[in-house]
Each structure stands twice: as C-alpha cells, then as structure tokens.
Amino acid sequence: MTFYDALETRSADARAASLAECLPALLTHAQSLAGYGHFAQFDLASIATAEDLARLPVLRKSELGAAQKRLPPFGGFSGGEFDYAFQSPGPLYEPGRNSHDWWRFARFLHATGFGSGDIVQNCFSYHLTPAGTMFENGARALGAAVLPAGTGQTELQAQAAHDVGVTGYAGTPDYLKVILEKADEMGLTLNIGKAAVGGGALFPSLRQWYADRGILCRQCYATADLGNIAYESAAMDGLILDEGVVVEIVTPGTGDPVPFGEVGEVLVTTLNNDYPLVRFATGDLSAFMPGESPCGRSNLRIKGWMGRADQTTKIKGMFIRPEQVAAFVAKHPEITRARVIASRDGETDAMTVKIEGAAEKAADYAESLSETLKLRGQVEVVTPGSLPRDGVVIEDQRSYE
C-alpha cells in the first residue's frame, strides 16, 4: 500500500505537535485581515489544539455573506491576492489560487488510485462554481491529464471519453452512469476504471453497479468554501480527515463541542494563509469515529454526511432556531440538554421542550423558555440520557401530507 505522503501515517503526537506550531501562526495571520479584526481580544498564542479553538467564535455562512457585501469580494477574510473568483448560491464568493493542490484534492484522488498515467474526465461544473477547478487542480498535482468536460452534452461526453482514452472520472455520483449507458447505446467501449465523486449521495446500489462494471468508486466530503475536508480510502470505513484542516463537531447553533462520537454540526478550520476560514460552520451533521482507519491512515475519521444542522422550524408562525435552544440551556447550568418537539394539537401547532439534567420541576422553566424562544410551550423533564444523541435539537413531528 502506498500513501500520498508521510503526513497520512503520522502518530497522534506528531500531528498534534505540527498543529501546535502552525495554528497560532495561522490565527495571528488571520488577525491581520479585516474579517478577523475581533481576534485582537483573544490570546491567539495559547490556541494550539482543536480543543483550544472552542474559545473562538463560530463563523457562519450568513456572516460571511454579510461581510462580503460590506467589503467585496471576500469580506476581508482573504489575503487579497487571487487567481480565481468563484460564485456560489447566495451569492457567496470564493477565492482560488493556481498553486499546487490549493484545495487539497490530490490526497483524495491518490487514495482513489489516480496518478500520472491517468486521463481524468472532469464532469464537475466549471461555470462560476469552483468544483471543476478544484478537482482539476488536484488531478494536475498528481500529474494526471484532464479532460475538462463540465456538465451536460452526454453524447459528446461519451464520444470524448472513448476518443481521448479516459481512464478516470470525477463528478457527481450518478452522472458517470448516464455517460456509461449513453456509450453503450452508441456502441462505444470506455476504459474508465476509477471514479472520484462528490456533491451528492453515493448510494450502495450505485457503487455496486459501478463495481460490477469494474469501476472503483470512492467519495469525498468537500464544500465550495473549504475545499476537501475528508475522503474515503480502500478501507471503506468512514471518511478520513484531510491533513490540511482541523475539524470540530459541536452542538448545532453553538460552538460547544459534543462528546466524542456524538452527532453534531461540523466546523472546519482551514490551515491556509491565503484564505484562512476559522471555525467555519458547514451546516452539516456528522460524528467522529473511534480508532484509526484499517488502511493505515492515522488521522481522525468522521461518519460522513448525516443531515443538516440548520433545523430552524416555524411553530405558530414563529421561527425557532437551534441557537435559541442553546441559549435556553446556557441560562440554566442544571440543564445539560434540551430538545424542542413541534407537533399538532388538532389543527393548532404545539411545542414541547424536553430537558435533561438536574432539573426537577418543569414549571420552573416555563417563563425562561417563553423569554428565550419567544413562544410558550410545555416543558417536560426527562431522565438523563434518554434524549437521542443524534444532533437534533428541534424535531418536527408534524405531518405535511
């Protein structure tokens, strides 16, 4: 078995020592950028671990968008120099650089078997959004050639894959199947033996369909803002964190880490001086996995995408947000966890808030709940440990059928 580099198999102590060296420097650099001017109030030199990052505020996509409107194009979170400017829905703008593997996709592509002898049909979009350029940058870092196919025009895609001799695919999980079936219709034999996919769900049945055609298919977890975050290896056991990011799992709506192994919102800090996003909230749910990957890569693993953390729900015409639930819990040290349940009482919305901890009388919290959530509801004290550890703080049980 070969690895992309020695970083993948470092000991936990070696990885921690490297982070302790680079993280304070990254944060000090970030403080010099307009977007992180508020960092001046923190002792950045003492923040040297993922756990230490919890002292800093969370950066949410809504804040990034507002900052970009005040200070275009990147809100003061970039060093200023860029080779690309991309636009994602929102709109949000992301910088990009031509430098070696800037978005950190080479490690994932290498784990999927891509190398200098490959010709990669890159079917991620090149139009405004960064995905196409991200994967091309990673493939070129490995010495692979790239067919910048983009999306659509399936008949031309199939013809090009045949004529050019494409050996690998990069794109959404389902589009390769469309190309292969079109090639079958056209009587073309394709030589695609590996696929690196993202941007959608890779269902087991689809992965097996590719395997039955002799195509190895693996997926990554990435975003337009952050680049690659985690990826599958031959072990097919969770997603291994990339070496260029620090990941935290926190209670949705807060910056508070959940116990190891519990489901929460994914926060990512990129170790990239060009565009250092610190504690950036992805809005996705996941959980850390215990132990190391059987493949020999030693970094932490996550379970993959487990839903969205933004559980904002409208009850009786009022929006209830995860951060409001977190604020309610924070007001009462004896409460360790709360879960809002939206239901129906006849034709009327109803709200029940279940709380865990040392609380005794539910009635003691009715007024505080009303003040924090701006809505009255029933409070129910439950046995500690009885609420599911699934990252859900607002559960909507109403039927919309």
Side-chain angles (χ1 to χ4, degrees):
M1 178 184 298
T2 59
F3 299 99
Y4 180 68
D5 57 25
L7 299 181
E8 294 184 345
T9 56
R10 286 182 290 180
S11 68
D13 287 345
R15 187 172 282 108
S18 175
L19 185 62
E21 180 179 349
C22 73
L23 191 54
L26 175 91
L27 296 175
T28 300
H29 166 68
Q31 183 188 335
S32 70
L33 305 175
Y36 291 108
H38 59 288
F39 274 15
Q41 62 186 292
F42 298 100
D43 179 12
L44 301 178
S46 68
I47 297 177
T49 68
E51 292 73 22
D52 293 338
L53 282 169
R55 301 180 209 160
L56 299 176
V58 173
L59 174 61
R60 299 200 172 273
K61 191 165 288 195
S62 58
E63 298 171 49
L64 184 59
Q68 289 184 356
K69 291 178 180 178
R70 293 193 306 269
L71 189 61
F74 306 122
F77 292 93
S78 168
E81 295 185 4
F82 59 94
D83 300 310
Y84 302 98
F86 299 100
Q87 184 194 78
S88 295
L92 284 174
Y93 296 92
E94 299 94 17
R97 300 305 302 269
N98 272 321
S99 54
H100 180 86
D101 196 29
W102 196 79
W103 288 275
R104 305 175 312 280
F105 279 87
R107 194 177 301 282
F108 162 52
L109 292 170
H110 180 271
T112 310
F114 288 83
S116 60
D118 283 305
I119 303 171
V120 184
Q121 185 152 344
N122 186 4
C123 293
F124 282 107
S125 175
Y126 282 81
H127 177 65
L128 288 178
T129 60
T133 307
M134 286 176 166
F135 274 79
E136 178 169 321
N137 184 262
R140 294 298 302 133
L142 294 174
V146 176
L147 173 65
T151 59
Q153 297 182 297
T154 305
E155 185 171 322
L156 291 179
Q157 297 256 14
Q159 189 69 55
H162 174 268
D163 293 347
V164 176
V166 166
T167 60
Y169 165 89
T172 55
D174 54 350
Y175 190 51
L176 173 58
K177 184 174 186 287
V178 176
I179 294 174
L180 292 170
E181 290 176 336
K182 177 59 67 174
D184 291 343
E185 289 179 17
M186 298 169 66
L188 300 174
T189 299
L190 303 188
N191 194 35
I192 297 173
K194 65 205 76 169
V197 304
L202 174 58
F203 296 103
S205 58
L206 181 58
R207 194 199 296 266
Q208 187 59 51
W209 192 90
Y210 291 139
D212 291 343
R213 294 186 64 128
I215 300 172
L216 181 152
C217 184
R218 293 184 187 146
Q219 62 187 324
C220 69
Y221 168 46
T223 74
D225 322 87
L226 299 159
N228 193 35
I229 299 166
Y231 61 97
E232 282 186 325
S233 71
M236 304 288 286
D237 190 9
L239 301 181
I240 303 162
L241 298 188
D242 185 80
E243 299 293 336
V245 297
V246 180
V247 169
E248 304 168 77
I249 307 290
V250 304
T251 301
T254 79
D256 303 327
V258 301
F260 189 93
E262 288 194 10
V263 178
E265 183 178 12
V266 177
L267 302 188
V268 180
T269 296
T270 55
L271 304 177
N272 180 348
N273 280 332
D274 290 335
Y275 192 44
L277 292 178
V278 179
R279 304 200 81 204
F280 187 78
T282 64
D284 296 323
L285 294 176
S286 192
F288 286 125
M289 298 175 63
E292 295 181 0
S293 172
C295 73
R297 293 171 176 84
S298 58
N299 209 347
L300 288 169
R301 293 172 297 158
I302 57 175
K303 292 183 178 179
W305 189 81
M306 300 177 70
R308 290 292 294 172
D310 184 6
Q311 301 156 30
T312 297
T313 303
K314 184 178 283 189
I315 306 174
K316 296 183 180 179
M318 297 289 292
F319 281 110
I320 305 298
R321 296 177 169 82
E323 50 267 36
Q324 291 173 283
V325 182
F328 169 69
V329 173
K331 289 172 65 174
H332 304 284
E334 71 277 16
I335 298 177
T336 56
R337 187 181 298 269
R339 189 180 186 104
V340 172
I341 298 175
S343 59
R344 299 284 284 176
D345 182 7
E347 296 302 316
T348 305
D349 285 345
M351 181 179 75
T352 302
V353 181
K354 295 185 177 183
I355 57 176
E356 281 187 13
E360 295 182 0
K361 296 181 179 179
D364 293 343
Y365 302 96
E367 194 62 32
S368 174
L369 183 74
S370 177
E371 292 174 356
T372 310
L373 272 61
K374 312 302 181 186
L375 190 66
R376 292 194 176 276
Q378 179 181 348
V379 180
E380 181 181 336
V381 179
V382 299
T383 304
S386 62
L387 291 180
R389 268 53 177 171
D390 56 5
V392 175
V393 293
I394 303 175
E395 178 184 352
D396 194 345
Q397 296 181 349
R398 295 168 295 186
S399 174
Y400 294 90
E401 295 181 357

